[in-house]
């Protein structure tokens, strides 16, 4: 092991959240589930441990009161969820209002850009709630607007993060002008298409796009809410993720100034007649040398991503203004993970996918100033959960950066856990 990778697992207390009465989880890594005072922890609860979701299964939506013995407060229910992202539950900026995706219960109107799905805002103090006309994918940091995309495209291309249709899956065009990235005002519910799939199809077009299904994923808004990033993917074989092709973009919040940061159009050996897809392991795609994955803003101008650049795949840091690219943690950060930065930009929190031999994945802190990695703990995950039912750690910072929340199955059930990293951060700083 490199002398720049330091095991500090003995210094980090960990505890399960809640009474374990039901399976609980939050979902994705790219937002905090800690409330404004770090005393309320958003989550989803369900009696299910695993299962291929049909869109009829119900999950409770609510929060654990960390200041009152982890008491559970139910805010609502939804059937618009999956194991990876949950229902996109998140806080609205610094308020005590939460937002999450729901399934439509009434007829669609012109305001419902995706007829099967809506989103709901609920006040965690009063219980007052209201419906918005479209689902959400990611929120602006101040809670003023959301970006959304077509969850039906995920059912066709990346089922792990999609929601099944209420009745039948809609017919999807390959790269239409009337589908893509929508911006929704949270107060008014007004929605506007700000970047279409046809626009991305036409932008520096390559031949591999011609007969391919196109979709958008991994959207993130920068800290000031002025620009956002996203991955454009396309493939002729949606059932084989090894045939996905990728581009990483940034764009202004109103859809202007589209910039291409990275393009991984590449040969596809999977199309060869003698290729055997059964040789691919569950997480091999996440470790592919062509994967662009989990991009995130470090600042208003810097984007970190796991991806290839000039023939080598690493954690890469792009400057959105200048186009410059630098490796992050070469020789230390050597595999794909779910990374987020602390508020000061010094500390990066991330994880790994399960090791093929041990079925364990690591959770670690990386010191950007000193180029040191501190391994916090290693967690076992059953190898038979598969892609759709898996439970990634998806680490999330508390707002004061002294706690970490993860989802895990290392004790059997699917649960959320808290790690107290405050004393460790104090010692290392």
């Amino acid at each position: 092991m490199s002398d720049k990778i330091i095991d500090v697992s003995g210094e980090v207390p960990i505890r399960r959240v809640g009474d374990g009465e039901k399976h609980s989880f939050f979902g994705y890594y790219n937002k905090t589930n800690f409330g404004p005072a770090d005393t309320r922890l958003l989550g989803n609860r369900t009696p299910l441990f695993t299962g291929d979701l049909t869109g009829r299964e119900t999950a409770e939506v609510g929060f654990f009161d960390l200041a009152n013995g982890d008491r559970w407060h139910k805010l609502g229910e939804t059937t618009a969820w999956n194991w990876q992202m949950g229902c996109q539950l998140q806080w609205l900026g610094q308020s005590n209002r939460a937002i999450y995706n729901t399934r439509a219960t009434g007829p669609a109107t012109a305001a419902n850009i995706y007829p099967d799905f809506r989103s709901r805002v609920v006040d965690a103090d009063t219980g007052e709630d209201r419906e918005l006309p479209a689902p959400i994918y990611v929120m602006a940091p101040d809670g003023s607007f959301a970006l959304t995309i077509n969850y039906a495209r995920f059912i066709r291309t990346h089922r792990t993060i999609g929601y099944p249709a209420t009745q039948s899956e809609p017919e999807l065009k390959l790269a239409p002008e009337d589908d893509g990235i929508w911006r929704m005002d949270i107060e008014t519910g007004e929605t506007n298409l700000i970047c279409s799939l046809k626009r991305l199809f036409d932008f520096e077009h390559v031949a591999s796009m011609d007969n391919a299904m196109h979709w958008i994923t991994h959207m993130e808004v920068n800290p000031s809410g002025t620009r956002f990033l996203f991955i454009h993917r396309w493939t002729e074989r949606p059932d084989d993720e090894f045939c996905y092709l990728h581009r990483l973009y940034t764009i202004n919040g109103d859809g202007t100034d589209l910039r291409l940061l990275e393009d991984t159009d590449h040969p596809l050996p999977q199309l060869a007649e003698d290729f055997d897809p059964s040789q691919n392991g569950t997480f091999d795609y996440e470790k592919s040398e062509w994967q662009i994955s989990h991009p995130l803003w470090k600042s208003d101008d810097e984007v970190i991503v796991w991806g290839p650049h000039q023939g080598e795949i690493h954690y890469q840091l792009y400057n959105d203004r200048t186009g410059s690219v630098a490796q992050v943690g070469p020789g230390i950060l050597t595999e794909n993970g779910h990374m987020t930065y602390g508020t000061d930009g010094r500390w990066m929190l991330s994880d790994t996918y399960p090791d093929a031999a041990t079925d364990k994945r690591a959770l670690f802190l990386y010191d950007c100033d000193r180029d040191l990695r501190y391994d916090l703990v290693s967690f076992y995950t059953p190898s038979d959960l598969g892609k759709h039912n898996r439970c990634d750690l998806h680490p999330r910072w508390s707002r004061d950066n002294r706690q970490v929340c993860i989802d895990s199955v290392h004790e059997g059930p699917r649960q959320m856990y808290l790690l107290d990293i405050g004393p460790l951060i104090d010692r290392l700083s």
Side-chain angles (χ1 to χ4, degrees):
M1 179 180 291
S2 168
D3 58 3
K4 290 190 173 184
I5 302 177
I6 303 165
D7 184 354
V8 294
S9 56
E11 296 185 47
V12 183
I14 178 172
R15 74 172 185 86
R16 188 187 69 193
V17 178
D19 58 13
E21 176 186 349
K22 295 182 178 180
H23 298 280
S24 66
F25 69 103
F26 179 66
Y28 233 27
Y29 67 101
N30 58 336
K31 48 191 172 286
T32 185
N33 54 335
F34 289 85
D38 283 331
T39 58
R40 291 172 169 176
L41 193 72
L42 290 174
N44 309 281
R45 297 205 314 174
T46 173
L48 302 174
F49 174 51
T50 63
D52 291 329
L53 302 177
T54 67
R56 294 184 291 272
E57 297 80 7
T58 298
E60 290 183 8
V61 178
F63 66 90
F64 292 96
D65 185 348
L66 302 180
N68 188 20
D70 295 349
R71 180 185 174 191
W72 172 251
H73 294 259
K74 181 178 174 181
L75 298 176
E77 294 182 345
T78 185
T79 57
W81 63 281
N82 54 60
W83 297 115
Q84 275 289 289
M85 290 184 170
C87 56
Q88 294 289 23
L89 175 64
Q90 51 204 286
W91 298 103
L92 288 182
Q94 296 294 321
S95 75
N96 284 318
R97 294 182 299 160
I99 188 170
Y100 61 96
N101 287 337
T102 60
R103 189 171 298 274
T105 57
T109 70
N112 305 125
I113 53 175
Y114 300 124
D116 279 343
F117 306 111
R118 310 281 192 271
S119 55
R120 183 162 294 277
V121 175
V122 58
D123 189 305
D125 293 325
T126 67
E128 180 182 358
D129 67 345
R130 61 188 177 92
E131 184 178 84
L132 290 169
I136 61 168
Y137 186 93
V138 68
M139 294 295 305
D142 66 0
S144 62
F145 70 89
L147 301 175
T148 192
I149 44 184
N150 191 345
Y151 282 89
R153 286 192 174 268
F154 289 140
I155 291 298
R156 182 73 180 92
T157 61
H158 197 175
R159 190 177 182 88
T160 303
I161 54 174
Y163 306 146
T166 305
Q167 300 296 333
S168 60
E169 297 299 332
E171 292 290 330
L172 297 174
K173 297 179 181 179
L174 296 180
E177 293 183 349
D178 60 354
D179 199 4
I181 302 173
W182 296 77
R183 175 173 173 149
M184 178 171 65
D185 184 278
I186 296 302
E187 292 307 314
T188 67
E190 180 182 356
T191 55
N192 293 286
L193 182 65
I194 57 177
C195 185
S196 72
L197 287 166
K198 180 63 163 56
R199 179 182 179 186
L200 300 177
F201 178 90
D202 291 336
F203 189 94
E204 296 188 17
H205 181 84
V206 292
S208 60
M209 295 178 177
D210 288 343
N211 300 309
M213 176 66 71
H214 294 250
W215 74 103
I216 294 159
T217 186
H218 287 85
M219 293 191 294
E220 295 289 339
V221 184
N222 72 358
S224 65
T226 57
R227 285 183 69 77
F228 63 91
L229 61 80
F230 63 93
I231 295 176
H232 168 210
R233 287 178 174 162
W234 67 96
T235 184
E236 292 185 35
R237 291 174 55 177
D239 295 335
D240 186 351
E241 59 191 356
F242 284 88
C243 292
Y244 292 175
L245 298 167
H246 317 252
R247 280 181 172 177
L248 175 64
Y249 285 97
T250 61
I251 193 171
N252 281 342
D254 62 359
T256 59
D257 193 15
L258 180 65
R259 302 175 192 170
L260 176 59
L261 296 188
E262 193 66 69
D263 182 357
T264 67
D265 183 39
H266 61 87
L268 294 171
Q270 292 78 13
L271 298 181
E273 291 184 2
D274 60 351
F275 181 77
D276 182 4
S278 68
Q279 298 303 307
N280 295 327
T282 301
F283 297 101
D284 285 357
Y285 172 67
E286 309 296 349
K287 303 174 184 181
S288 163
E289 68 271 26
W290 295 106
Q291 166 82 287
I292 293 182
S293 186
H294 307 126
L296 198 83
W297 294 96
K298 181 181 182 181
S299 67
D300 272 349
D301 297 319
E302 297 170 292
V303 172
I304 188 170
V305 67
W306 173 261
H309 180 69
Q310 296 182 343
E312 294 187 5
I313 191 162
H314 298 281
Y315 278 73
Q316 317 274 11
L317 190 66
Y318 292 76
N319 188 297
D320 186 37
R321 288 180 296 102
T322 67
S324 65
V325 187
Q327 290 183 24
V328 179
I332 305 173
L333 308 182
T334 57
E335 54 185 301
N336 195 0
H338 305 96
M339 58 283 198
T340 52
Y341 283 96
T343 52
D344 64 1
R346 172 180 173 180
W347 295 99
M348 187 178 78
L349 177 66
S350 194
D351 61 358
T352 66
Y353 284 92
D355 179 81
T358 65
D359 291 325
K360 290 186 176 181
R361 58 268 179 94
L363 178 70
F364 63 87
L365 282 171
Y366 173 69
D367 187 335
C368 300
D369 290 351
R370 298 176 181 172
D371 190 30
L372 294 172
R373 167 177 157 173
Y374 296 92
D375 283 5
L376 302 176
V377 69
S378 178
F379 293 100
Y380 169 78
T381 183
S383 59
D384 60 357
L385 287 182
K387 291 286 287 187
H388 300 323
N389 293 293
R390 73 184 190 267
C391 182
D392 294 338
L393 297 180
H394 288 158
R396 304 166 291 266
W397 292 96
S398 62
R399 301 200 183 212
D400 66 3
N401 288 182
R402 298 185 66 80
Q403 296 183 81
V404 172
C405 179
I406 61 167
D407 300 338
S408 186
V409 291
H410 65 276
E411 291 184 317
R414 191 182 301 258
Q415 298 288 315
M416 295 195 297
Y417 293 84
L418 291 180
L419 290 84
D420 180 6
I421 62 169
L424 174 66
I425 292 290
D426 291 342
R427 179 176 72 80
L428 297 176
S429 298

